Amino acid sequence: MFREVKAEMVRHDLTAAQLAEAIGISKAAFSLKMKGEREWKRREMMKIRDILAPEKTMDELFHVEGEA
């Protein structure tokens, strides 16, 4: 699901476990959120943007494929 987040994780050589720890959630919770099975909290999204791509907007980073 969140293709831009995944791409930025690769660019920064970060695993899901590392990014989950950096934003203060479990790897399992991170996985569910990346699959779209759980909602992101705004503060989690902001932390991810600050770590991965502060130059991008939230919409750019968290755009879901197939959304209009």
Side-chain angles (χ1 to χ4, degrees), residues 3-37:
R3 191 168 75 179
E4 278 301 309
V5 173
K6 289 179 184 178
E8 290 296 339
M9 287 171 63
V10 170
R11 286 185 195 105
H12 288 81
D13 195 29
L14 286 173
T15 66
Q18 290 169 323
L19 189 53
E21 182 178 345
I23 67 169
I25 64 174
S26 70
K27 183 182 173 196
F30 184 84
S31 178
L32 291 171
K33 291 171 189 244
M34 287 296 288
K35 292 177 190 175
E37 295 176 14

